[in-house]
Amino acid sequence: MAENKVQPKVFIKSDIIILIAAALAIIFAGLAYYLKLNSVLAFLTSAFAVALLASLVGRSVEQLGDRFGPGATGVLQSGLGNLPELFISIFALKAGLVAVVKAALVGSILSNLLLVLGLSFFVGGLKHGTQKLGSDRARTIVILMLLSVMALALPSVAHWIHTPAAPHEKSFSLIVSIVLLLLFLLYLPASLKRGKIGINSDKNIASEPRWPIWLAVGLLTIASLLAAFVSDWFVTALQPSMKALNISDAFAGLVIVAIAGNAIENVVGIQLAAKNQSEYAFSVILNSPLQIALLLAPLLVIISQVFGLSTLTLVFSPMLVTSLFVAILLAAFISFDGESNWLEGAALIAIYIIIATAFWWG
Amino acid sequence: MAENKVQPKVFIKSDIIILIAAALAIIFAGLAYYLKLNSVLAFLTSAFAVALLASLVGRSVEQLGDRFGPGATGVLQSGLGNLPELFISIFALKAGLVAVVKAALVGSILSNLLLVLGLSFFVGGLKHGTQKLGSDRARTIVILMLLSVMALALPSVAHWIHTPAAPHEKSFSLIVSIVLLLLFLLYLPASLKRGKIGINSDKNIASEPRWPIWLAVGLLTIASLLAAFVSDWFVTALQPSMKALNISDAFAGLVIVAIAGNAIENVVGIQLAAKNQSEYAFSVILNSPLQIALLLAPLLVIISQVFGLSTLTLVFSPMLVTSLFVAILLAAFISFDGESNWLEGAALIAIYIIIATAFWWG
Amino acid sequence: MAENKVQPKVFIKSDIIILIAAALAIIFAGLAYYLKLNSVLAFLTSAFAVALLASLVGRSVEQLGDRFGPGATGVLQSGLGNLPELFISIFALKAGLVAVVKAALVGSILSNLLLVLGLSFFVGGLKHGTQKLGSDRARTIVILMLLSVMALALPSVAHWIHTPAAPHEKSFSLIVSIVLLLLFLLYLPASLKRGKIGINSDKNIASEPRWPIWLAVGLLTIASLLAAFVSDWFVTALQPSMKALNISDAFAGLVIVAIAGNAIENVVGIQLAAKNQSEYAFSVILNSPLQIALLLAPLLVIISQVFGLSTLTLVFSPMLVTSLFVAILLAAFISFDGESNWLEGAALIAIYIIIATAFWWG
């Protein structure tokens, strides 16, 4: 974190605050982990540290992207933006917490599609009235989301109703994962070409100081490595602290891990909507669950089978699939509407609360 | 009903006919109830009387609204327009007919979304060709309908598949009800501001004579009180007459109670479509099921738990939820289409017939 | 097939190739059938012959339609275009292969909605970029498809969850079939009036030689009769060859029979998209599954009950209904989008592959 002092001019204020906060959070989380302090404290500090490191990864990628153009930024972000979530999931699979990982994957999608989208519509709508959503790009993302939710649902349905495919759960999940990854590869150039789909945007960076390349690469490497460590602490603290707080595994995965893992992107999306950049906000918010469905989930399925972790399949519980389906259908109709208002935002938040309630009882 | 003679000029012809018909229907229904006449006769007369009283409540509210502006009218109608349905449901819950109440709630939504919307598209389309639907307002209503159907479905799914939330059916339903009521409160000012969402419209009243305020308030009070009485008779006659006619409870609730309870609004909606006021018709027809889902159903859940009636939860049978879901999805796509034609109307009526058939066998 | 030599000028090159290929395929298939040759060979040649005969039926109908106007062509095509599929299904029902018929009906709808639509979007999109879809007409077809899928689903849901309607499976399916057929009759004049909904189009024929009427009628009669024979051979070879290839009944019906039965129409649709006639392609491709859902399936239900074949009901397995539902929902959102691109095409193909995989394991 020494770069902070060497090249102070390249950082804007918010960067410095995040760097300091991240350093403090990591120190506290490390102490809590190694000294075996109170598990709730360990959980909270490591969750906070993961969120801040995710934000640093995002900033470094932005700075690199500024150099290589928006296309490369998109590729980098697709690959690196979900790194912390990937680390958390791998450690959780190693610890045998398959149900938590499944709930967290679905929860990340739900929190983006319902809570974050709802908050951005609500805040944006109250401040600026009815807001336009970029039609073409948004619709393509929504259709890909719809497709991937359905692709995730099919192995689950096959399992529930014991079709002849049910005993082949692992192979079926693997095939679905490969198809989804192929689709992601096809989607990648389209998203790069269109430029704006990535989280990065030239407008945001233009007026900011530029980091030297060694700083961006260095910070990216360090933040990613630290994210891997802290993710381990986070997963270790998760179960005892949830037990201490009397929170069910499903709720922990669906709500707490999901919100912690996406905290920064979520804040960005809502801020953009508040600034009346509704099209851009919509794109940022929807792009995150799309990457989870098309990239992260398939990748975890393949990794878990290849590296012999607790096997992750795409068989989710009926309640998770129902929730996903409800979320994507609502989001689809709202985005096909082409406009958002605060009432639609409130509706999305309402259904998120109802779904979270459904998972509250352990 | 003495006002009829005192101030004859304030009533238009249709009012006088409804007043006389209502008086006659009430007398017959009362006789059938107290003299324990044939239950089918008692059922038919009381159903007729409820429908006519519902219409009188509607007219009184319109007249009051004329005085207080369209905003207040909307509030009044939201609160009072569903009074007869509320009375019927409360008496039915008191009589332990929980399944009938559930079927009637779903049936009211279905008959509006499929049968009445279908008839209005069919009649309007045959008379005037392709008709435009008011896009923005209609879409907001459709999205709120979609949301509320999904909110009603989640406790049902939790119950069917025995999630950990299933034993907490009552609390879960209560939380969902509170969330839906809050959403209704948020929706209320929006619907008032836009003015046209309510059933009332200035155009309709402008040319009509205005009732003195004491007459409107008096008629409203009397009609509401009478509606409470007649609802009791209706519920009492319901079961024996259904048994006499060999009609299943589910079919009685879903089709017969639902159509009787919404008869007048339904006729109004279809008439508007026939007059080529398709946007207004669409708004009137969709507003009614929205109030049932966002206001009436949650209110009944809370009332049943607070006042110790037979407990109403939001756990519906899979067939009811499937039917609801089919209905709202079709209605959503048809309304997002932005236009209606007679063939879409026929399609909606066709699916209503198929759903009603599914509940025919007892 | 002697007409080939008598009036060579009336045929365009592709007709002659199809005639010769069909003659050869029929001869081989007949030999394989009567000499009890290898079942896989018999299956392949008869599948090929059925596809070519279907194409000849289509051409004859086009030529007749040229004489009687686009309206009559539509009627003829609705009635005759699905003849080979009707024959195959009847022979399969006679042979007791109810599961294969059900899978083939669903598979025909799926292959059109997902595979063929996907290929046409993919090819058209790669060649011509974003393509417009005819909004009004396409949306009406999509809404009717959605409705018919839901109508087919209701008897299935009633069966799965053992509602009181479940034991009345046959009557319920019969009523649904009659309602769907009535809707088809209502849809017929609308589709004729609009002219372009049918597979035929004046543009395509204008520049081609016209067949004498006796030739068109004669070829239609002969091709239809031969189609009936060859369908029998096809069904006879189906089971042993599937066993020899170790392919499950469900996969055979869903994928192989479905693609063989719709081969020609499929090629036409994709060719049109490649020629940038995307609106027309969309209409051709969607019209085929609509006829299966509104005409062929209901007709087969009625025929099976009237003629005492193995009874076909509209109770499908949950996996088939889920697949149908997924397909129509994706197709609906994509067509309401109003535009198509190659990525949406890839998404449709991806979900088709996933669904086919789900049925691969026997």
Side-chain angles (χ1 to χ4, degrees):
Chain A
M1 302 291 117
E3 297 91 339
N4 195 6
K5 285 160 201 165
V6 178
Q7 298 252 358
K9 278 177 197 162
V10 302
F11 287 116
I12 54 174
K13 224 188 201 168
S14 65
D15 290 333
I16 299 173
I17 295 171
I18 292 175
L19 272 173
I20 297 173
L24 290 175
I26 292 167
I27 292 167
F28 274 109
L31 283 175
Y33 177 75
Y34 289 109
L35 303 179
K36 300 196 188 301
L37 296 182
N38 179 291
S39 65
V40 177
L41 193 75
F43 173 75
L44 288 178
T45 48
S46 56
F48 201 57
V50 166
L52 291 167
L53 286 167
S55 146
L56 284 178
V57 169
R59 279 290 287 156
S60 319
V61 171
E62 263 181 17
Q63 290 288 339
L64 282 178
D66 192 25
R67 229 158 281 266
F68 300 127
T73 313
V75 178
L76 277 171
Q77 280 188 323
S78 300
L80 301 174
N82 283 308
L83 261 191
E85 275 151 309
L86 185 68
F87 287 139
I88 293 179
S89 304
I90 289 175
F91 282 114
L93 284 178
K94 230 183 96 189
L97 305 174
V98 179
V100 174
V101 171
K102 285 183 182 177
L105 285 173
V106 172
S108 293
I109 298 176
L110 289 181
S111 73
N112 277 289
L113 281 184
L114 298 178
L115 184 62
V116 183
L117 200 61
L119 282 171
S120 88
F121 284 1
F122 191 76
V123 171
L126 283 185
K127 270 198 158 177
H128 307 284
T130 302
Q131 293 184 304
K132 291 257 169 218
L133 310 174
S135 51
D136 281 13
R137 205 169 45 245
R139 286 175 184 185
T140 298
I141 298 182
V142 164
I143 284 168
L144 287 174
M145 269 312 300
L146 193 68
L147 168 112
S148 50
V149 165
M150 283 164 168
L152 297 177
L154 284 167
S156 308
V157 174
H159 179 85
W160 305 336
I161 60 177
H162 308 294
T163 71
H168 304 272
E169 196 180 305
K170 279 170 109 177
S171 326
F172 192 11
S173 298
L174 205 57
I175 293 169
V176 173
S177 299
I178 291 167
V179 171
L180 290 179
L181 277 179
L182 285 176
L183 206 60
F184 180 76
L185 290 180
L186 288 177
Y187 164 70
L188 210 53
S191 80
L192 300 183
K193 209 173 160 190
R194 293 171 187 181
K196 284 199 223 152
I197 282 187
I199 286 171
N200 186 30
S201 155
D202 297 24
K203 293 180 209 157
N204 289 351
I205 297 183
S207 55
E208 294 177 9
R210 188 183 268 198
W211 299 0
I213 193 159
W214 62 266
L215 174 59
V217 172
L219 194 58
L220 179 60
T221 314
I222 293 171
S224 300
L225 282 175
L226 284 173
F229 272 89
V230 183
S231 298
D232 189 13
W233 306 345
F234 177 80
V235 170
T236 308
L238 182 66
Q239 280 219 313
S241 69
M242 291 302 110
K243 208 162 267 170
L245 295 170
N246 203 14
I247 289 173
S248 75
D249 269 20
F251 190 84
L254 193 86
V255 178
I256 294 172
V257 176
I259 292 181
N262 295 284
I264 300 298
E265 298 158 65
N266 298 356
V267 172
V268 170
I270 297 167
Q271 280 174 339
L272 285 169
K275 287 179 199 155
N276 208 12
Q277 294 191 276
S278 55
E279 287 193 37
Y280 186 35
F282 194 61
S283 170
V284 168
I285 294 170
L286 284 189
N287 216 36
S288 172
L290 185 62
Q291 282 180 20
I292 293 164
L294 281 188
L295 179 65
L296 190 64
L299 218 54
L300 283 170
V301 168
I302 294 170
I303 289 174
S304 81
Q305 297 204 15
V306 171
F307 292 94
L309 305 171
S310 305
T311 307
L312 181 73
T313 66
L314 296 176
V315 172
F316 296 94
S317 78
M319 203 67 197
L320 285 178
V321 173
T322 305
S323 305
L324 260 187
F325 188 68
V326 161
I328 182 59
L329 216 55
L330 259 182
F333 275 108
I334 283 177
S335 66
F336 269 67
D337 188 355
E339 290 178 345
S340 72
N341 57 51
W342 65 267
L343 191 57
E344 290 178 354
L348 287 170
I349 299 167
I351 203 87
Y352 183 77
I353 293 169
I354 291 172
I355 290 174
T357 306
F359 287 91
W360 175 253
W361 292 284
Chain B
M1 303 292 118
E3 298 90 340
N4 195 4
K5 285 159 200 165
V6 181
Q7 298 254 358
K9 278 175 197 164
V10 302
F11 289 116
I12 54 173
K13 226 186 197 170
S14 66
D15 290 333
I16 298 174
I17 294 171
I18 292 174
L19 272 174
I20 296 173
L24 289 175
I26 293 167
I27 291 168
F28 274 110
L31 283 175
Y33 177 76
Y34 289 110
L35 302 180
K36 300 194 187 303
L37 296 182
N38 179 291
S39 65
V40 177
L41 194 74
F43 173 75
L44 288 178
T45 48
S46 56
F48 201 58
V50 167
L52 291 167
L53 286 167
S55 146
L56 284 178
V57 169
R59 280 290 287 155
S60 318
V61 170
E62 264 182 17
Q63 289 288 338
L64 282 177
D66 192 26
R67 229 159 280 266
F68 300 126
T73 313
V75 178
L76 277 171
Q77 280 188 325
S78 300
L80 300 174
N82 282 310
L83 261 191
E85 275 152 308
L86 185 69
F87 286 139
I88 292 179
S89 304
I90 290 175
F91 282 114
L93 284 178
K94 231 183 95 188
L97 305 174
V98 178
V100 174
V101 171
K102 284 182 181 176
L105 286 173
V106 172
S108 292
I109 297 176
L110 290 180
S111 73
N112 278 288
L113 281 183
L114 298 176
L115 183 62
V116 183
L117 200 60
L119 283 171
S120 88
F121 284 2
F122 192 76
V123 171
L126 283 185
K127 271 198 156 176
H128 307 285
T130 302
Q131 293 185 303
K132 292 254 170 221
L133 309 175
S135 53
D136 282 12
R137 204 168 43 244
R139 286 175 183 186
T140 299
I141 298 181
V142 164
I143 284 167
L144 286 175
M145 268 312 300
L146 193 68
L147 167 110
S148 50
V149 165
M150 284 165 167
L152 296 178
L154 284 167
S156 307
V157 173
H159 178 85
W160 306 336
I161 60 176
H162 309 292
T163 72
H168 303 272
E169 193 180 306
K170 278 170 108 178
S171 325
F172 192 11
S173 299
L174 205 57
I175 293 170
V176 173
S177 299
I178 291 167
V179 171
L180 290 179
L181 277 179
L182 286 176
L183 205 60
F184 181 77
L185 290 180
L186 288 176
Y187 165 67
L188 209 53
S191 80
L192 300 183
K193 210 172 161 191
R194 294 171 185 183
K196 283 200 224 152
I197 282 188
I199 287 171
N200 187 28
S201 154
D202 296 25
K203 292 180 211 158
N204 289 351
I205 298 182
S207 56
E208 294 177 10
R210 187 184 268 197
W211 299 0
I213 193 158
W214 63 265
L215 175 57
V217 172
L219 194 58
L220 179 60
T221 315
I222 292 171
S224 301
L225 282 176
L226 285 174
F229 271 90
V230 182
S231 298
D232 190 12
W233 307 345
F234 177 81
V235 170
T236 308
L238 181 65
Q239 280 219 313
S241 69
M242 290 303 109
K243 207 162 269 170
L245 295 169
N246 202 16
I247 290 173
S248 75
D249 269 21
F251 190 84
L254 193 87
V255 179
I256 295 173
V257 177
I259 292 181
N262 295 286
I264 299 298
E265 298 158 64
N266 298 354
V267 172
V268 169
I270 298 165
Q271 280 174 340
L272 286 169
K275 286 180 199 155
N276 208 12
Q277 295 193 276
S278 55
E279 288 194 34
Y280 186 34
F282 194 61
S283 169
V284 167
I285 294 170
L286 283 189
N287 216 38
S288 172
L290 185 62
Q291 283 181 19
I292 292 164
L294 281 188
L295 179 65
L296 190 64
L299 218 54
L300 283 170
V301 168
I302 295 171
I303 289 174
S304 82
Q305 297 203 16
V306 172
F307 292 95
L309 305 171
S310 307
T311 306
L312 182 73
T313 66
L314 296 177
V315 172
F316 296 93
S317 78
M319 202 67 196
L320 285 178
V321 173
T322 304
S323 304
L324 260 187
F325 188 68
V326 161
I328 182 61
L329 215 55
L330 258 183
F333 274 108
I334 284 178
S335 66
F336 269 67
D337 187 355
E339 290 179 345
S340 71
N341 57 50
W342 66 268
L343 191 57
E344 290 178 353
L348 287 170
I349 298 168
I351 203 85
Y352 184 78
I353 293 170
I354 292 171
I355 291 175
T357 306
F359 287 92
W360 175 254
W361 291 284
Chain C
M1 302 292 118
E3 297 90 339
N4 195 5
K5 286 159 200 166
V6 181
Q7 297 254 355
K9 280 176 195 162
V10 302
F11 288 116
I12 54 175
K13 224 186 199 171
S14 66
D15 289 333
I16 298 173
I17 295 171
I18 292 176
L19 272 173
I20 296 173
L24 291 175
I26 292 168
I27 291 167
F28 274 109
L31 284 175
Y33 178 76
Y34 288 111
L35 302 180
K36 300 194 187 303
L37 295 182
N38 179 291
S39 65
V40 177
L41 193 76
F43 173 74
L44 289 177
T45 47
S46 56
F48 201 56
V50 166
L52 291 167
L53 286 168
S55 147
L56 284 178
V57 169
R59 280 289 289 154
S60 318
V61 169
E62 263 182 18
Q63 289 287 340
L64 282 178
D66 192 26
R67 229 159 279 268
F68 300 127
T73 314
V75 177
L76 277 171
Q77 280 187 324
S78 301
L80 301 174
N82 283 309
L83 261 191
E85 275 151 308
L86 185 69
F87 286 139
I88 292 179
S89 304
I90 289 175
F91 281 114
L93 284 179
K94 231 183 96 188
L97 305 174
V98 179
V100 174
V101 172
K102 284 182 182 176
L105 285 173
V106 172
S108 293
I109 297 176
L110 290 180
S111 72
N112 278 287
L113 281 183
L114 298 177
L115 183 63
V116 183
L117 201 61
L119 282 171
S120 88
F121 284 2
F122 192 76
V123 172
L126 283 185
K127 271 199 155 176
H128 307 284
T130 303
Q131 293 185 303
K132 292 256 169 218
L133 310 173
S135 53
D136 282 13
R137 204 168 45 244
R139 287 178 183 184
T140 298
I141 297 181
V142 164
I143 284 168
L144 286 175
M145 269 311 300
L146 192 69
L147 167 111
S148 49
V149 165
M150 283 164 167
L152 297 178
L154 284 167
S156 307
V157 174
H159 179 85
W160 305 337
I161 60 176
H162 308 293
T163 72
H168 303 272
E169 194 180 305
K170 279 171 105 178
S171 325
F172 191 11
S173 298
L174 205 58
I175 293 170
V176 172
S177 298
I178 291 167
V179 171
L180 290 178
L181 277 179
L182 286 176
L183 205 60
F184 180 76
L185 290 179
L186 288 176
Y187 165 68
L188 209 54
S191 80
L192 299 184
K193 210 172 159 190
R194 294 169 185 184
K196 283 200 227 152
I197 284 188
I199 286 171
N200 186 30
S201 153
D202 296 25
K203 293 180 209 156
N204 289 352
I205 297 183
S207 56
E208 296 176 8
R210 186 183 270 197
W211 299 0
I213 192 158
W214 63 265
L215 174 60
V217 171
L219 194 58
L220 179 60
T221 314
I222 292 170
S224 301
L225 282 175
L226 285 173
F229 271 90
V230 182
S231 298
D232 189 13
W233 306 345
F234 177 80
V235 170
T236 307
L238 181 65
Q239 281 219 313
S241 69
M242 291 302 109
K243 207 162 271 169
L245 295 170
N246 203 14
I247 290 173
S248 75
D249 269 20
F251 190 83
L254 194 86
V255 178
I256 295 172
V257 177
I259 292 181
N262 295 284
I264 299 299
E265 298 159 63
N266 298 355
V267 172
V268 170
I270 297 166
Q271 281 176 340
L272 286 168
K275 288 180 199 153
N276 208 12
Q277 294 191 276
S278 55
E279 289 195 33
Y280 186 35
F282 193 61
S283 170
V284 167
I285 294 169
L286 282 189
N287 216 38
S288 172
L290 186 62
Q291 282 180 20
I292 293 164
L294 282 187
L295 180 64
L296 190 64
L299 218 54
L300 283 170
V301 168
I302 295 171
I303 289 173
S304 82
Q305 296 204 15
V306 170
F307 292 95
L309 307 170
S310 305
T311 306
L312 181 74
T313 67
L314 298 176
V315 172
F316 296 94
S317 77
M319 202 67 196
L320 285 178
V321 173
T322 304
S323 305
L324 260 187
F325 189 69
V326 160
I328 181 61
L329 215 55
L330 260 183
F333 275 108
I334 284 177
S335 66
F336 269 68
D337 188 354
E339 290 178 347
S340 71
N341 57 51
W342 66 269
L343 191 57
E344 290 178 354
L348 287 170
I349 298 168
I351 203 86
Y352 183 78
I353 293 170
I354 292 172
I355 290 175
T357 306
F359 288 92
W360 175 254
W361 291 284

